[in-house]
Amino acid sequence: MAIAVVCECGRSFNLRTEFAGQSVRCPDCGATLDVPAIASQADPLFDRDQFLLRQRVLSIAQAYDVRGADNAELMFIRRPTFLLLSILGILAGMLVFLVVGGAGSAAVMGLGTALGLPPRPEFVIPPLIVVIILALLATIATVVAIVPKRHIYFHRDPKSKETILEIHQDSKLMPFRPKFTL
């Protein structure tokens, strides 16, 4: 984030945040410019150097207690898992795999006999491999479409009355580099 400052001579500057609250000189006219300080928008709860994170046991959703260095409870983190939707997504994915794989296999076998090809492995195996790959892709697409994103919520109390921070999952499918938005 840059801080915009305009000099008396009309030149404008976009300064880095480390210059906030300091004075700088204009290179054109030499006038001293006061860079405004940035008001802190963060909750004072986050003004700590050390946080201790403890996962709650016997919790279906991911839940954590966050404590300070003095072992006092600071906040609670919750990341819901949507168990029923996850199970539904997996079952729907299995059904899609069976339907796409079965229909594709039947089509490959039927096409081979319709073209008069003998049922030899070199004529059947390559198309079946393509059918299996397509069925797997359709399965992954079905599961990703049904299972919702899992956002992360920071609360002051374990009853989730007041949310102090939300971290949103950017996309449903994040195999290698997960991305989140504050």
Side-chain angles (χ1 to χ4, degrees):
M1 183 177 122
I3 302 172
V5 178
V6 179
C7 182
E8 301 167 350
C9 67
R11 184 166 179 190
S12 62
F13 303 95
N14 288 323
L15 302 173
R16 295 188 304 248
T17 56
E18 61 237 25
F19 291 109
Q22 298 181 9
S23 296
V24 295
R25 289 206 179 271
C26 176
D28 290 347
C29 66
T32 303
L33 304 172
D34 293 324
V35 181
I38 299 174
S40 175
Q41 296 180 6
D43 194 304
L45 185 63
F46 295 103
D47 290 339
R48 299 176 190 276
D49 292 331
Q50 185 178 16
F51 293 94
L52 303 174
L53 191 65
R54 182 177 65 96
Q55 185 170 10
R56 290 188 181 182
V57 183
L58 298 174
S59 175
I60 293 175
Q62 289 180 332
Y64 302 90
D65 294 338
V66 180
R67 299 174 181 266
D70 58 350
N71 207 24
E73 289 182 344
L74 298 176
M75 64 185 117
F76 302 89
I77 303 172
R78 184 177 54 88
R79 188 174 189 199
T81 56
F82 307 108
L83 183 63
L84 292 177
L85 281 174
S86 298
I87 292 171
L88 177 68
I90 292 169
L91 292 175
M94 291 169 56
L95 180 66
V96 165
F97 182 80
L98 291 174
V99 168
V100 171
S105 299
V108 166
M109 299 308 264
L111 183 63
T113 55
L115 293 176
L117 298 174
R120 294 188 357 214
E122 58 267 12
F123 295 129
V124 176
I125 291 178
L128 285 179
I129 291 174
V130 171
V131 166
I132 290 172
I133 290 171
L134 290 175
L136 285 173
L137 290 175
T139 301
I140 292 170
T142 302
V143 172
V144 167
I146 292 175
V147 177
K149 294 179 184 176
R150 294 181 56 215
H151 305 307
I152 304 169
Y153 301 96
F154 290 73
H155 303 283
R156 288 195 190 276
D157 59 353
K159 301 288 185 197
S160 305
K161 300 279 185 203
E162 180 185 0
T163 302
I164 53 178
L165 178 67
E166 290 183 14
I167 301 175
H168 293 267
Q169 184 176 341
D170 286 345
S171 65
K172 289 184 178 183
L173 185 62
M174 300 184 297
F176 302 113
R177 297 188 65 194
K179 293 184 181 180
F180 296 90
T181 301
L182 287 175

